[in-house]
Amino acid sequence: MNFELMANSFPLLLAGAAITVEITAMSVTLGLLIGCMIGIARLCSIKPLRYFANVYVDFIRGTPLLVQIFLVYFALPNIIGSRVDPFVAAISACSINSGAYVAEIFRAGIQSIDKGQMEAGRSLGMTWAQTMRYIIMPQAFKRIIPPLGNEFIAMLKDSSLVSVIGFEELTRRGQLIIARTYASFEIWMAVAIIYLIMTFAVARFTGYLERRFDTK
């Protein structure tokens, strides 16, 4: 174990970790917006909208994230006629992927709320959208905090796949250092430690939110 090499590599790896966190935060944020809309669409009475949402979720969950990254970065330029920036491709693919899983989280959270809540809201003269916004969603959000935390952790680790398009996040930085030093074990161990620290921090923050909002 070359501990000196590990210590010297940490600044470069931490810079890559910052990019990993940025990709993950942006992807999950956009994924929340996509997932919320798709999750509600899967429960609406408009059949075309519901079918589209079902197809979207089934396709994204049924294909690997790596393939989706390739589709956005390599295949999409053939359609639009221009090159896609690696950062845009990474965020787009990860957001679309996250959105499908978040949609299922939202759908399950909404369906876990007693149907009487919707009936009560409608009986008070509220529209379906108002009932969802002011009654159903606040209750559902408390219940979906744990799975949303798991999704953030999963995306934090899955974001390493964007290294295949040359994007220099944590994993790619590790690969570049190894190519120069040939110290595979030390560098990958340092990368693993940084990932562990990040996922541990997210897990602890999720636990705090669970206690704060009393999700039991």
Side-chain angles (χ1 to χ4, degrees):
M1 285 287 290
N2 190 338
F3 292 105
E4 182 179 358
L5 176 61
M6 292 179 65
N8 292 336
S9 300
F10 262 104
L12 287 175
L13 293 176
L14 289 176
I19 297 175
T20 293
V21 172
E22 181 182 4
I23 293 174
T24 303
M26 293 182 66
S27 298
V28 173
T29 300
L30 293 174
L32 282 172
L33 297 175
I34 296 172
C36 182
M37 293 186 292
I38 296 297
I40 294 175
R42 295 198 70 185
L43 299 173
C44 75
S45 58
I46 305 174
K47 288 186 178 181
L49 193 59
R50 187 169 70 246
Y51 290 154
F52 169 79
N54 290 337
V55 170
Y56 168 81
V57 171
D58 290 340
F59 177 80
I60 297 300
R61 294 177 66 196
T63 56
L65 174 57
L66 182 60
V67 173
Q68 295 162 17
I69 293 173
F70 285 156
L71 284 172
V72 174
Y73 188 68
F74 294 113
L76 186 59
N78 294 328
I79 299 175
I80 63 177
S82 62
R83 180 177 176 272
V84 178
D85 183 79
F87 182 77
V88 174
I91 296 298
S92 299
C94 291
S95 299
I96 293 171
N97 181 272
S98 180
Y101 291 93
V102 172
E104 285 297 275
I105 294 174
F106 269 105
R107 182 188 61 79
I110 293 172
Q111 289 185 324
S112 70
I113 305 302
D114 189 272
K115 293 181 179 180
Q117 298 289 313
M118 176 61 74
E119 296 172 357
R122 298 304 296 273
S123 67
L124 292 174
M126 301 175 69
T127 64
W128 184 87
Q130 289 175 328
T131 305
M132 286 292 296
R133 178 181 177 183
Y134 296 109
I135 298 179
I136 304 299
M137 292 303 294
Q139 297 181 69
F141 180 76
K142 294 181 180 181
R143 299 186 181 185
I144 65 177
I145 288 177
L148 283 180
N150 291 335
E151 171 60 21
F152 194 97
I153 291 175
M155 182 53 62
L156 187 65
K157 294 181 291 184
D158 290 344
S159 64
S160 62
L161 293 174
V162 303
S163 63
V164 299
I165 59 175
F167 198 75
E168 292 191 18
E169 41 69 68
L170 176 56
T171 300
R172 182 60 177 170
R173 289 289 178 94
Q175 292 173 335
L176 294 175
I177 295 173
I178 291 171
R180 187 178 70 251
T181 63
Y182 299 100
S184 299
F185 182 79
E186 289 86 348
I187 301 304
W188 285 131
M189 181 59 68
V191 169
I193 291 172
I194 294 175
Y195 271 116
L196 179 61
I197 293 173
M198 292 191 295
T199 56
F200 182 82
V202 173
R204 297 286 76 78
F205 181 68
T206 302
Y208 163 76
L209 290 179
E210 289 183 49
R211 296 188 298 272
R212 174 68 175 79
F213 292 99
D214 189 19
T215 60
K216 295 182 180 179

